[in-house]
């Protein structure tokens, strides 16, 4: 039996023996912006995964909206549970295609680190307010490059950063592992957002057009299995990862249905108007009172514009913390009266 100098080297050998020729091998990473001493136990992608899990931005995902603002029920999806859902689906697909699961997992866990409070509503609002615009995938890369560890960043590998940046449907990551996350993100949010809409009483499953249900299935389990199976059959032993045409079309139709019946409903627009008033007030306030930002953010002013840094701060907030800061700044507090009888 061959002996290895480290557990990391043993993992390299396993990858060379068992992964697809189209997989991104850990030993062949394009590396980090700042060179570091290798770990004896973990590959570079495994180190990236661990850094993301222990980051502050990852912890905050538990209190960030996926679709429903600050839901009262215990079982609605949050940005954190969405992230875990994407990770599970992406890893299942990567495993089936003999791709690098560690890289896939790291990309999936980091793909939404830059998301705003109040879900995509918050993203649209900051995009309107900021002169340079705001896109959560780009902000996620900024989080790992600049904002984490008090401005030092996480110094992740090129492949993880590329996958995070290009996880949106219309973009193309440089690795097939990144493409697994790209597809898994779409599979995950369509399915769990549909489940949440049914749980909230906005939809009934029978409202989903029959042709979509015929192709994808009637339950979340069936729809996810259909999508992963389709991607596998269409992509195995090939230099790409794509859904089959029928499943891709049905998935696009389900996404369109969700926009019409859930994401852009009158109720959703009403809640977005409230979020817009709050985020706009916070943005204007911190542009005018920049010195009241936390010191870590103020310290970035030598290298970045105030508008960028204010977006950094607001986008980092959880839903609850955004409400707290808004109340602290704009909502009057009651007087404390002295007992005149004493």
């Amino acid at each position: 039996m061959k002996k290895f100098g480290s557990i990391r080297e043993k993992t390299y050998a396993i990858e060379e023996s068992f992964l697809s020729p189209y997989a991104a091998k850990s030993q062949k990473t394009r590396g980090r912006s700042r060179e570091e001493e290798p770990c004896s136990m973990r590959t570079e992608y495994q180190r990236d995964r661990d850094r993301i899990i222990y980051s502050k931005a990852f912890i905050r995902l538990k209190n960030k909206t996926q679709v429903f603002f600050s839901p009262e029920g215990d079982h609605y999806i949050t940005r954190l549970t969405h992230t875990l859902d994407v990770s599970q689906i992406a890893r299942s697909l990567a495993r089936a295609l003999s791709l690098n699961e560690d890289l896939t997992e790291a990309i999936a866990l980091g793909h939404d680190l830059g998301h705003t409070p109040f879900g995509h509503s918050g993203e649209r609002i900051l995009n309107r307010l900021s002169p340079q615009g705001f896109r959560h995938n780009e902000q996620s890369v900024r989080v790992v490059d600049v904002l984490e560890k008090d401005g030092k960043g996480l110094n992740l590998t090129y492949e993880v950063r590329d996958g995070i940046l290009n996880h949106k449907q219309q973009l193309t990551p440089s690795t097939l592992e990144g493409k697994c996350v790209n597809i898994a993100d779409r599979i995950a949010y369509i399915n769990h957002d549909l489940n949440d809409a049914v749980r909230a009483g906005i939809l009934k499953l029978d409202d989903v057009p029959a042709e979509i249900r015929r192709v994808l299935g009637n339950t979340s389990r069936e729809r996810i299995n259909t999508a992963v199976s389709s991607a596998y059959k269409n992509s195995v032993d090939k230099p790409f990862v794509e859904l089959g045409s029928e499943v891709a079309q049905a998935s696009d139709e389900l996404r369109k249905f969700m926009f019409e019946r859930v994401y852009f409903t009158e109720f959703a627009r009403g809640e977005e108007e409230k979020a817009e008033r709050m985020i706009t007030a916070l943005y204007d306030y911190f542009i005018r009172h920049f010195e009241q930002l936390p010191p870590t953010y103020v310290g970035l002013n030598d290298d970045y514009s105030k508008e960028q840094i204010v977006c950094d701060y607001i986008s980092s907030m959880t839903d609850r913390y955004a409400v707290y800061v808004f109340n602290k700044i704009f909502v009057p507090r009651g007087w404390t009266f002295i007992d005149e009888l004493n």
Side-chain angles (χ1 to χ4, degrees), residues 205-215 253-254 257 261:
L205 285 175
D206 289 346
D207 293 333
V208 178
E211 180 60 15
I212 294 176
R213 287 186 279 122
R214 182 192 69 80
V215 175
E253 289 298 319
L254 180 56
F257 170 82
R261 296 292 300 273

Side-chain angles (χ1 to χ4, degrees), residues 7 38-39 48 73 88 92 123 136 145 153 157 186 195 199 217 222 259 275 287 293 304-305 318 337:
I7 296 174
C39 174
D48 283 359
Q88 174 63 24
S92 295
E123 180 176 16
H136 81 271
D145 281 356
T157 58
R186 183 169 27 141
N195 291 341
R199 182 175 291 113
E222 290 176 355
F259 270 93
I287 290 293
L293 289 173
Y304 305 100
S305 69
T318 64
F337 293 98

Side-chain angles (χ1 to χ4, degrees), residues 10-30:
K10 181 179 180 181
T11 304
Y12 289 160
I14 292 172
E15 289 182 358
E16 288 296 331
S17 297
F18 295 103
L19 293 189
S20 162
Y22 304 116
K25 311 291 174 56
S26 302
Q27 193 170 13
K28 298 177 181 178
T29 174
R30 292 174 59 174

Side-chain angles (χ1 to χ4, degrees), residues 327-328 330-338:
N327 287 338
K328 183 179 179 181
F330 297 108
V331 177
R333 287 177 288 179
W335 290 95
T336 300
F337 293 98
I338 298 174

